[in-house]
Amino acid sequence: MYDRHDRFRHWLPHGFDYLNPDQTARQVQLKSQIREHFSQAGYLEITPPSFDFSRTFSLTTRDLDRKPVFQTRGRGGDSLAVRSDITVQVIKAVAHGRLGRGFPVRFSYLQPVVQDRAEGTGLRREYVQAGVELLGESGTGRVNEVLELARSYLKSAGHEPRVLYGDMRFLERLLAHVPDPIRPEMSRAFYNKDLFVLGQLCREGGLNEDIQRIFLEAPL
């Protein structure tokens, strides 16, 4: 049956959508709770610019897994990109002394980010990134502090937290088993968790069963 609401969705690019009044109210409530949680833990909220130099966001990952950004050019010809990741913006600002001097520093943020994603992946291209950055403190205590902050908030919100730890070295080791011609496409499919394409590429590359299993199970 034709849903009259479906035709309105086609007026929007994929991965973007409106929030209805109930969804908006819920998001406002969650933002308020998150801000209070970060503040009580001693993290000061900052707001980075919506645009930055394109090369800024290329620093977040290596070439095999570059974050997809929406790019444009200013009147002076400078290459700009819509904010796609806040962590790298915070690090850059701290390094240039734009957020004050002296360590350690604790900052939090809660702002929309935009990342270009292929149609059919089911991934949103605009979402809110909430996070904290603890800079200038060594040792495992800083990692434990950030993880505990995430765990305690999710628990208070009624969610059982799960920690996803990513390390590019793992993917690099895995891609070493992949023929050079399909390696970039394999990296993109892995990043997008596109199991169908991963399966096709594994067969195309003639990978052994053990490596295929890792490629198909690791994204999950």
Side-chain angles (χ1 to χ4, degrees):
M1 179 181 294
Y2 175 73
D3 186 342
R4 65 184 180 86
H5 296 289
D6 287 342
R7 66 188 179 93
F8 291 105
R9 289 185 176 276
H10 295 299
W11 294 3
L12 293 172
H14 74 88
F16 296 93
D17 207 348
Y18 290 93
L19 295 181
N20 63 36
D22 289 340
Q23 292 170 326
T24 300
R26 176 59 173 161
Q27 187 177 95
V28 169
Q29 178 189 27
L30 289 173
K31 285 181 176 180
S32 177
Q33 292 174 349
I34 292 172
R35 284 190 167 104
E36 182 179 0
H37 197 75
F38 288 168
S39 177
Q40 289 179 349
Y43 288 81
L44 304 176
E45 184 174 359
I46 61 167
T47 303
S50 299
F51 283 79
D52 209 322
F53 292 115
S54 298
R55 64 178 178 269
T56 296
F57 302 109
S58 71
L59 298 173
T60 56
T61 51
R62 303 184 186 182
D63 289 341
L64 286 174
D65 194 23
R66 192 179 296 277
K67 283 188 180 300
V69 298
F70 287 92
Q71 299 187 63
T72 185
R73 287 195 176 275
R75 288 191 175 187
D78 43 347
S79 179
L80 304 175
V82 184
R83 180 177 60 211
S84 65
D85 181 86
I86 298 178
T87 295
V88 68
Q89 288 187 296
V90 176
I91 293 173
K92 186 176 79 167
V94 170
H96 285 80
R98 294 301 299 272
L99 296 175
R101 299 185 182 278
F103 293 99
V105 293
R106 287 171 171 79
F107 294 118
S108 67
Y109 46 80
L110 187 61
Q111 295 292 326
V113 295
V114 180
Q115 295 185 1
D116 196 10
R117 301 298 186 194
E119 189 169 5
T121 61
L123 298 173
R124 295 184 66 92
R125 295 203 280 181
E126 179 183 24
Y127 57 93
V128 176
Q129 182 180 355
V132 299
E133 305 298 337
L134 171 52
L135 304 174
E137 189 169 292
S138 60
T140 59
R142 58 191 175 89
V143 178
N144 294 336
E145 178 180 326
V146 172
L147 288 177
E148 173 58 24
L149 185 63
R151 186 204 66 80
S152 60
Y153 171 74
L154 290 172
K155 185 176 181 180
S156 69
H159 296 283
E160 185 64 32
R162 295 194 305 167
V163 176
L164 174 62
Y165 175 77
D167 192 322
M168 277 299 298
R169 291 172 297 182
F170 169 76
L171 183 56
E172 288 178 349
R173 297 276 183 90
L174 203 54
L175 288 171
H177 298 275
V178 178
D180 289 342
I182 64 172
R183 194 171 293 175
E185 190 175 357
M186 193 73 143
S187 177
R188 285 192 295 271
F190 188 93
Y191 186 80
N192 290 328
K193 298 180 173 56
D194 192 332
L195 300 185
F196 178 75
V197 173
L198 281 173
Q200 286 184 322
L201 292 172
C202 282
R203 292 188 292 272
E204 180 182 335
L207 306 185
N208 66 51
E209 291 185 3
D210 290 337
I211 298 299
Q212 285 191 43
R213 188 182 310 114
I214 295 174
F215 265 113
L216 295 177
E217 290 182 0
L220 303 178

